[in-house]
Amino acid sequence: MVEWCLPQDIDLEGVEFKSMASGSHKIQSDFIYFRKGPFFGLACFANMPVESELERGARMKSVGILSPSYTLLYRYMHFLENQVRHQLETPGHYSHLAAFYEDKKGVLHAGPGRGGSLPPVYWLPSIHRYMYPEMKITHPAGCMSQFIKFFGEQILILWKFALLRKRILIFSPPPVGVVCYRVYCCCCLANVSLPGIGGTIPESKPFFYVNVADIESLEVEVSYVACTTEKIFEEKRELYDVYVDNQNVKTHHDHLQPLLKINSADREKYRRLNEQRQMLLYSQEVEEDYNPCEEDLFVLFFLEQNNRIFQTLLEVSASQDKTLTAEHARGMGLDPQGDRSFLMDLLEAYGIDVMLVIDNPCCP
C-alpha cells in the first residue's frame, strides 16, 4: 500500500507494485527504476527483521520519487537510501520527505496539460559534449563494463534488436537495480545522430522495471526495453519480441532467428570494442588528467557504427540505381551473408528504399 505521498492529488495507482519488485522479500535492499504514465521513478527498497507477529517478522518499505526524466534521479539515490532506513527504524515520520518535496517540486512538476506534456527541460544536465540523445544516467562505476562482461559477444545480438526497435524484455530474479542498468545499456546501443533518421520509427524507450500490473500498457507498445522479476511473462509471447533470461537471448519469431547467430563481422566489432576499452584503460593510467569515461566510449562506439550504417543506406537510396551490394555491407561493418536478414529488416523498419543485391548463399 502507499503509506504517504506528496502531492496528495497525484495518480499513484499501481506504483506500490513498481517500487517493490516481486520477490524482494528475499533480499535486504535494492533500488528500482520504473515508469508511471509520463513519469520515471526511482525507489529504494529495504527489508528489516522485526520482532512482531503482526508484521510477520519483517518490515519492508520503499521510498521513491517521480520525475518527467530519469536523467537526474540518480542524484537522489543516497537520500532515498537514507530515508528508507529512517522509515523502517522510525515509521510515520515524514518531515524530511516533505522538506525534500518542497525543495524539489519545481523539478518534479508535470506541467499544466495531462499525460505527455512535459515541463521545460532547463533543469536537465547540460548537453553532453558528444551530443548523444538524453540517455545520461549515472550508474556505479563500471556499469558498462559489467554489461559487456555479462553478455559478451551477445551485446551485438542485442544491438541489432535494439536498432530494429524490437520489444526487449529482460528477466532476472531480484535484486533488480543492476538489471535496470542493463535496460539502460541496451537503449544506449541504438543511438543515431543523423538528421532524417528515425522519424518513421519509435524512439528506443527504457521502461525499466515492469510487472503483471503493466501488462495492459505493454500490450499497446510497439517498441520498448524493460526488465522483470516475474517468470510468468515468458509465457505471454504477444507482449515481447525478444526475451533475455539472464544471458540467454531468444526470440519466438521465426524471421528473427537468423539474428541470434554471431557472425564474423560481429566478432570483429566485439574485438574492436575491447581493443578501444583497453586503450582507454591504458590512457587513464598514463595521463591522469585525461579522463574520458567508459560510458562515453561505449555510447560513441555504437553511435558511430549506427551512423556509418545509415549514412551508407541514405547515400545508396539517393543514388540512381539504389543498389546495395556486398561491398556496401562490408563498408558498413556488416557481414554480407550473415547480416542479410538484419539488413532487410532494417530497410523495412526505417522505410529506406534500396535494392539488396547480396546473393543468398542457399540459392545456386
Side-chain angles (χ1 to χ4, degrees):
M1 57 173 272
V2 177
E3 167 185 333
W4 180 91
C5 71
L6 271 182
Q8 287 169 351
D9 57 353
I10 192 167
D11 169 23
L12 291 178
E13 187 188 348
V15 84
E16 65 273 30
F17 299 109
K18 292 171 182 285
S19 53
M20 280 191 185
S22 182
S24 289
H25 58 281
K26 296 174 185 165
I27 57 173
Q28 293 306 302
S29 62
D30 200 1
F31 64 93
I32 305 169
Y33 281 88
F34 59 90
R35 277 183 75 144
K36 168 67 182 147
F39 296 105
F40 289 95
L42 170 63
C44 286
F45 164 84
N47 181 352
M48 183 176 85
V50 289
E51 289 182 19
S52 158
E53 274 186 41
L54 187 67
E55 295 179 89
R56 297 186 198 166
R59 183 177 297 159
M60 290 174 268
K61 293 187 188 244
S62 270
V63 176
I65 50 176
L66 291 173
S67 163
S69 160
Y70 56 83
T71 56
L72 285 191
L73 290 174
Y74 71 88
R75 289 189 180 178
Y76 310 118
M77 177 99 72
H78 191 58
F79 171 78
L80 295 173
E81 285 170 341
N82 286 337
Q83 285 305 304
V84 74
R85 269 290 131 212
H86 178 67
Q87 288 301 320
L88 287 174
E89 288 160 9
T90 54
H93 294 269
Y94 308 117
S95 56
H96 291 310
L97 294 174
F100 173 87
Y101 174 73
E102 285 306 315
D103 184 41
K104 305 284 188 254
K105 64 182 176 189
V107 171
L108 305 175
H109 176 56
R114 294 178 64 94
S117 74
L118 300 182
V121 289
Y122 59 83
W123 55 273
L124 289 177
S126 59
I127 293 294
H128 194 261
R129 65 200 164 104
Y130 290 136
M131 302 295 283
Y132 57 81
E134 186 213 307
M135 286 298 306
K136 202 78 172 142
I137 188 172
T138 289
H139 43 268
C143 161
M144 293 291 180
S145 57
Q146 280 171 22
F147 180 68
I148 296 167
K149 205 187 231 169
F150 187 78
F151 285 113
E153 290 180 340
Q154 289 195 101
I155 58 169
L156 278 314
I157 295 173
L158 292 171
W159 162 66
K160 291 174 194 178
F161 286 133
L163 206 54
L164 291 171
R165 297 296 192 265
K166 296 302 176 189
R167 298 168 301 165
I168 301 171
L169 185 61
I170 302 172
F171 167 79
S172 176
V176 81
V178 66
V179 195
C180 289
Y181 288 140
R182 281 177 208 151
V183 169
Y184 159 66
C185 291
C186 243
C187 289
C188 280
L189 300 172
N191 289 330
V192 182
S193 65
L194 293 181
I197 284 294
T200 57
I201 197 161
E203 60 180 321
S204 182
K205 279 200 284 197
F207 267 51
F208 298 112
Y209 176 71
V210 294
N211 61 20
V212 287
D214 296 299
I215 285 175
E216 227 170 89
S217 61
L218 287 179
E219 279 172 342
V220 297
E221 289 296 331
V222 290
S223 171
Y224 69 79
V225 186
C227 61
T228 189
T229 56
E230 300 189 23
K231 200 75 175 154
I232 185 81
F233 270 97
E234 189 171 7
E235 296 163 25
K236 300 192 174 296
R237 292 177 158 198
E238 70 282 1
L239 296 179
Y240 62 83
D241 302 308
V242 180
Y243 187 82
V244 184
D245 185 343
N246 280 312
Q247 284 140 311
N248 185 13
V249 183
K250 48 194 176 180
T251 175
H252 54 275
H253 295 301
D254 289 343
H255 73 283
L256 294 178
Q257 295 297 331
L259 275 68
L260 295 175
K261 291 194 184 91
I262 299 277
N263 60 49
S264 56
D266 295 328
R267 289 194 184 94
E268 173 57 21
K269 277 192 280 290
Y270 189 66
R271 189 194 62 74
R272 276 196 306 118
L273 176 62
N274 278 318
E275 201 174 73
Q276 288 184 24
R277 289 171 65 218
Q278 290 307 316
M279 284 167 65
L280 176 74
L281 292 173
Y282 175 73
S283 65
Q284 285 173 337
E285 283 171 20
V286 175
E287 304 172 52
E288 285 176 20
D289 56 339
Y290 172 72
N291 197 21
C293 69
E294 192 165 28
E295 179 190 25
D296 290 347
L297 183 147
F298 181 89
V299 170
L300 203 61
F301 180 88
F302 284 98
L303 180 67
E304 286 174 346
Q305 175 65 49
N306 298 343
N307 283 353
R308 182 154 50 124
I309 288 173
F310 286 109
Q311 187 68 50
T312 304
L313 293 180
L314 290 177
E315 283 169 8
V316 172
S317 72
S319 70
Q320 207 145 19
D321 63 355
K322 296 181 186 293
T323 303
L324 192 72
T325 64
E327 205 49 52
H328 285 123
R330 281 188 280 271
M332 293 187 280
L334 299 176
D335 182 320
Q337 304 298 349
D339 284 318
R340 191 173 190 276
S341 175
F342 168 59
L343 261 173
M344 289 173 75
D345 287 344
L346 202 64
L347 296 174
E348 188 184 343
Y350 288 81
I352 298 171
D353 178 23
V354 305
M355 180 85 170
L356 200 60
V357 291
I358 299 167
D359 293 334
N360 193 324
C362 310
C363 304

